[in-house]
Amino acid sequence: MTDALLPAAPQPLEKESDGYFRKGCNPLAQTGRSRLQNQRAALNQQILKAVRMRTGAENLLKVATNHKVREQVRLELSFVNSDLQMLKEELEGLNISVGVYQSTEEAFTVPLIPLGLKETKDVDFSVVLKDFILEHYSEDSYLYEDEIADLMDLRQACRTPSRDEAGVELLMSYFIQLGFVENRFFPPTRQMGILFTWYDSLTGVPVSQQNLLLEKASILFNIGALYTQIGTRCNRRTQSGLEGAVDAFQRAAGVLNHLKETFTHTPSYDMSPAMLSVLVKMMLAQAQENVFEKICLPGIQNEFFMLVKVAQEAAKVGEVYRQLHTAMSQAPVKENIPYSWASLACVKAHHYGALAHYFVATLLIDHQLKPGADEDHQEKCLSQLYDHMPEGLTPLATLKNGHQRRQLGKSHVRRAVAHHEESVREASLCKKLRDIEVLQEVLSAAHQRSRLKDAQHREDDDLLNLIEAPDIISKTEQEVEIILPQFSKVTVTDFFQKLGPLSVFSANKRWTPPRSIHFTAEEGDLGFTLRGNSPVQVHFLDPHCSAALAGAKEGDYIVSIQDVDCKWLTVSEVMRLLKACGRDGVEMKIVSLLDFTSSMHNKCATYSVGMQKTYSMICLAIDDDDKTDKTKKISKKLSFLSWGTNKNRQKSASTLCLPSVGVARPQVKKKLPSPFSLLNSESSLY
């Protein structure tokens, strides 16, 4: 059960103008995880072919009228359904191939269940985005070929993320980038013609949509799945490894829960609310199991209070797995959850329940109350161990009476043996679990230990005298909780920020094509004021000034001056450009929003290193000789171009708001910093 079957091939490097960057893991690297993921991809293709054949047969059966033809179609349909069932069982086998994902240092620990990454088809953004840039933004689309290529490279890298924090950061960066892309290129009123196809991770059935919702939801699912693989990879023989596993499973639960609450209408069944609820429970149960292992790692001392603590921790793990198995057994999840997962949840519920009874039996049988012992503390612990004591027994009397104490201890041993037998039986009923050797070894060893304890203290009249051992109250010193995804910690630069500030230059707004106007200042007076920031807007336009006669209108955005891009410039910077023009005239490009009333700003603002400064500047003193005659009006007002103010509020509940990260003015370099440099660890194999 090792992860790396062969040494990984060197990571491919690609030369860029500003250095090298890595493009995710090498998908051809011969590791256990990559081979498993390749098998999943091949199975998805077979399932897709079988689903298409079944759909065709069902359609033919509906329209066929000839009796012989209908019988032949029914026969073919039965074969196709049989093939689909076999493929589904094979996919289930991949989903329970837990050994591939476990740490190479694992030895004699119960395996954990990871989620496999969802597979997808290639997507070509180039044609659609180029057409949209030319049509909607009236810009030369060939100027954005590098940015489109970076977007496609980033998506391709996300198909093979490394199994560490760098891989998670890669997926998160693409998820945030999709928010920018959605607002730039996907109008809410029409489809863009880009088809996104993702395969269900549990059934292998493909789902396709023409909007970004499926893409964003699938990336979120893969972030959660990657966290589960990180959790199973942690070395559970060390304290730090177990703490890392607990954290990873809590973060996986947080991402999956965020997906459930945010994307409410996903067509893929593995991302349905019912299935995601079960997956969240499964991640939290595995985190609680790691908490128990962390407490037991230094060794379980054969001491009264330590045994009470460990027994209640084991009872807690058994309880969460019982709840998980109940959730897995409910419709409609029951029909699609892998049978081996439900069986393993049942096995663990009995296994940890048996451990709880074994530890209680040990503290009752092996630890007699001695003179000088803390009677009050032991009595309190024993009373808090049960909801109620067995009939006729009290905590203090049981502690002092050696016979009663042994009899209650032996009844717990009997319950422990019964639970162990049930866990072994459940594991034997599932073929997939029978093939997991380490699981069989752990269950067998625990069962033999309880049977040995029972044999050591068994008496002939036990069947008549033993009472029913009460249930143990579950308790833990570390209640696991959902950790929500922290997208704000990932800094992402909008690939297409050269188009202008997203608050103005987005897909849900339309403008006139850029208009070039040439005008001159009359006695140093332009005849209008400037308002706003990035981009600056024409305001208070004199209808008789040179700019107005040249075609300027109130509310126009200034996109360039003397061929200098102004979309990201502040009022002060635009003022300096206008002053530099002198008396030779100004060559300026402007655009107008087609919905003119919505383009007028009633507020004005600038930003300086994250701190807000508000002012309105009069563009009159262009000539240095007139500086003393004209003044700049300054008024304290609120911001109107703050990031995200004009976001579309009418989107469905299944659409995420755009995260406010990585907002920056365009760099001078042609290429933007690549996010692929995040992956620089050759030890994190795909």
Side-chain angles (χ1 to χ4, degrees):
M1 291 170 51
T2 178
D3 181 47
L5 303 182
L6 291 174
Q11 300 292 337
L13 297 178
E14 192 164 303
K15 186 71 172 65
E16 289 291 324
S17 58
D18 55 351
Y20 292 87
F21 63 82
R22 297 183 184 277
K23 291 192 173 184
C25 289
N26 182 1
L28 301 179
Q30 294 297 303
T31 66
R33 189 174 72 128
S34 66
R35 294 183 63 175
L36 198 65
Q37 202 67 31
N38 290 336
Q39 292 177 30
R40 181 185 297 275
L43 268 179
N44 288 337
Q45 294 300 319
Q46 296 180 48
I47 291 174
L48 173 60
K49 181 179 179 181
V51 168
R52 288 175 175 173
M53 292 179 62
R54 184 177 66 179
T55 302
E58 289 174 345
N59 292 336
L60 181 59
L61 189 62
K62 291 179 182 178
V63 299
T65 56
N66 186 283
H67 179 70
K68 290 185 177 180
V69 172
R70 291 177 64 86
E71 289 298 322
Q72 184 66 29
V73 172
R74 286 194 182 96
L75 180 61
E76 293 293 336
L77 192 58
S78 66
F79 285 137
V80 172
N81 286 328
S82 177
D83 289 342
L84 271 174
Q85 183 61 31
M86 292 177 63
L87 292 172
K88 183 179 178 181
E89 291 177 358
E90 193 172 346
L91 184 60
E92 180 186 341
L94 296 184
N95 287 326
I96 198 59
S97 298
V98 294
V100 174
Y101 294 97
Q102 311 299 310
S103 169
T104 55
E105 291 82 6
E106 290 299 308
F108 212 64
T109 53
V110 181
L112 303 172
I113 299 177
L115 298 178
L117 299 178
K118 289 174 67 72
E119 290 287 335
T120 182
K121 289 185 176 180
D122 291 333
V123 173
D124 187 358
F125 289 100
S126 57
V127 175
V128 173
L129 296 193
K130 283 183 179 179
D131 290 346
F132 193 81
I133 289 173
L134 182 62
E135 168 205 343
H136 187 78
Y137 293 99
S138 300
E139 293 200 27
D140 187 353
S141 59
Y142 290 99
L143 297 176
Y144 294 88
E145 286 184 340
D146 289 339
E147 286 76 8
I148 295 174
D150 280 347
L151 177 64
M152 296 175 63
D153 287 343
L154 177 56
R155 186 183 192 274
Q156 186 66 24
C158 287
R159 300 177 68 175
T160 58
S162 59
R163 192 170 20 154
D164 55 14
E165 286 297 329
V168 172
E169 192 171 352
L170 176 69
L171 292 176
M172 284 189 173
S173 66
Y174 179 58
F175 177 78
I176 297 171
Q177 193 68 238
L178 287 176
F180 294 127
V181 172
E182 181 177 31
N183 282 268
R184 293 280 190 195
F185 302 107
F186 286 79
T189 55
R190 66 185 175 100
Q191 299 287 351
M192 290 301 295
I194 300 179
L195 192 65
F196 300 97
T197 301
W198 288 83
Y199 293 89
D200 191 299
S201 65
L202 301 180
T203 65
V205 177
V207 175
S208 300
Q209 280 191 351
Q210 289 194 34
N211 58 47
L212 279 177
L213 296 183
L214 177 62
E215 182 87 349
K216 293 163 73 175
S218 298
I219 290 297
L220 269 183
F221 184 93
N222 276 359
I223 293 174
L226 194 58
Y227 269 127
T228 68
Q229 296 179 12
I230 292 173
T232 55
R233 191 188 193 193
C234 292
N235 182 8
R236 291 155 61 196
R237 308 303 296 176
T238 65
Q239 197 76 10
S240 60
L242 285 168
E243 290 174 355
V246 172
D247 180 75
F249 283 115
Q250 289 181 121
R251 292 185 184 278
V255 173
L256 296 175
N257 189 68
H258 179 71
L259 173 59
K260 181 188 70 171
E261 294 180 349
T262 309
F263 294 85
T264 56
H265 302 291
T266 51
S268 184
Y269 188 79
D270 57 352
M271 297 188 291
S272 65
M275 182 60 72
L276 288 174
S277 296
V278 170
L279 294 181
V280 169
K281 288 179 182 293
M282 185 169 74
M283 298 310 130
L284 293 178
Q286 295 188 138
Q288 195 68 58
E289 183 179 2
N290 293 145
V291 170
F292 171 77
E293 292 177 338
K294 187 172 65 171
I295 293 173
C296 299
L297 184 63
I300 303 174
Q301 298 178 4
N302 196 354
E303 185 266 333
F304 185 90
F305 301 111
M306 181 63 181
L307 291 171
V308 170
K309 176 183 176 181
V310 174
Q312 291 190 307
E313 288 283 354
K316 178 66 177 180
V317 179
E319 179 184 45
V320 294
Y321 272 113
R322 280 195 302 274
Q323 295 171 355
L324 174 62
H325 181 256
T326 300
M328 288 180 169
S329 303
Q330 303 296 320
V333 175
K334 182 179 180 180
E335 286 74 22
N336 291 280
I337 201 80
Y339 173 71
S340 53
W341 289 7
S343 297
L344 185 58
C346 183
V347 166
K348 288 188 176 184
H350 286 293
H351 174 68
Y352 286 103
L355 292 182
H357 284 287
Y358 175 81
F359 292 133
V360 172
T362 302
L363 71 89
L364 289 172
I365 295 175
D366 295 355
H367 296 279
Q368 303 299 326
L369 189 61
K370 299 177 181 179
D374 192 346
E375 293 184 7
D376 293 339
H377 193 187
Q378 288 196 18
E379 179 187 8
K380 182 180 179 181
C381 286
L382 189 59
S383 63
Q384 294 178 350
L385 197 59
Y386 308 120
D387 276 332
H388 60 277
M389 291 291 293
E391 186 177 355
L393 299 181
T394 61
L396 184 58
T398 302
L399 290 173
K400 291 183 176 182
N401 190 317
H403 177 71
Q404 288 184 0
R405 189 165 178 159
R406 280 194 305 274
Q407 292 298 99
L408 182 58
K410 287 192 289 184
S411 65
H412 279 289
V413 173
R414 290 293 178 88
R415 285 202 65 177
V417 172
H419 277 297
H420 279 307
E421 290 175 348
E422 189 63 22
S423 68
V424 172
R425 187 186 71 85
E426 285 287 342
S428 65
L429 293 177
C430 178
K431 181 180 182 301
K432 306 298 182 183
L433 298 186
R434 289 200 302 268
D435 295 336
I436 303 178
E437 295 181 3
V438 65
L439 176 64
Q440 297 295 331
E441 292 173 0
V442 170
L443 297 180
S444 176
H447 186 203
Q448 292 299 325
R449 184 177 60 180
S450 294
R451 291 182 60 185
L452 179 60
K453 191 82 171 178
D454 180 48
Q456 288 175 346
H457 301 280
R458 183 184 304 166
E459 297 178 4
D460 294 338
D461 58 348
D462 281 346
L463 291 176
L464 300 176
N465 297 333
L466 288 183
I467 58 177
E468 179 69 19
D471 292 331
I472 300 168
I473 296 177
S474 63
K475 185 179 179 181
T476 179
E477 67 176 20
Q478 181 182 345
E479 191 78 39
V480 296
E481 296 177 347
I482 288 174
I483 299 180
L484 296 177
Q486 298 175 325
F487 297 108
S488 60
K489 290 189 175 181
V490 181
T491 301
V492 178
T493 303
D494 180 8
F495 283 158
F496 301 93
Q497 61 176 339
K498 288 193 303 184
L499 292 171
L502 189 55
S503 56
V504 176
F505 296 97
S506 61
N508 61 347
K509 294 184 179 181
R510 299 183 62 195
W511 313 265
T512 59
R515 310 189 306 277
S516 296
I517 63 172
H518 182 83
F519 64 95
T520 57
E522 300 173 359
E523 299 180 358
D525 189 350
L526 289 175
F528 59 86
T529 63
L530 297 182
R531 301 193 69 178
N533 264 297
S534 304
V536 174
Q537 194 174 26
V538 174
H539 193 55
F540 290 141
L541 177 67
D542 182 354
H544 302 291
C545 69
S546 175
L549 296 177
K553 301 176 184 178
E554 279 200 43
D556 284 348
Y557 291 100
I558 301 175
V559 295
S560 71
I561 297 174
Q562 307 294 95
D563 294 328
V564 177
D565 193 325
C566 298
K567 291 193 289 289
W568 282 95
L569 298 187
T570 63
V571 170
S572 300
E573 292 167 328
V574 172
M575 280 289 295
R576 284 195 291 270
L577 286 176
L578 291 173
K579 290 178 183 179
C581 296
R583 299 180 180 275
D584 297 333
V586 180
E587 190 72 29
M588 188 166 69
K589 286 186 179 181
I590 55 177
V591 295
S592 302
L593 276 177
L594 294 181
D595 183 8
F596 181 73
T597 57
S598 66
S599 70
M600 288 301 296
H601 300 316
N602 55 8
K603 302 174 184 177
C604 51
T606 62
Y607 280 81
S608 176
V609 197
M611 300 301 293
Q612 186 172 329
K613 297 193 302 180
T614 62
Y615 59 85
S616 177
M617 184 171 291
I618 302 297
C619 302
L620 300 177
I622 297 181
D623 197 333
D624 292 340
D625 297 334
D626 295 333
K627 283 183 179 178
T628 57
D629 299 328
K630 307 296 180 180
T631 59
K632 299 176 182 178
K633 296 182 180 179
I634 301 177
S635 59
K636 293 290 183 179
K637 295 185 179 180
L638 298 176
S639 166
F640 78 99
L641 278 180
S642 59
W643 184 259
T645 299
N646 295 323
K647 287 186 189 133
N648 178 19
R649 302 293 186 183
Q650 305 302 320
K651 292 187 179 180
S652 64
S654 61
T655 303
L656 283 178
C657 293
L658 181 64
S660 302
V661 295
V663 181
R665 292 173 56 183
Q667 303 296 318
V668 177
K669 294 187 297 183
K670 181 179 179 182
K671 291 287 290 180
L672 297 174
S674 173
F676 312 119
S677 57
L678 299 171
L679 298 180
N680 54 11
S681 173
E682 295 186 359
S683 63
S684 303
L685 301 178
Y686 167 57

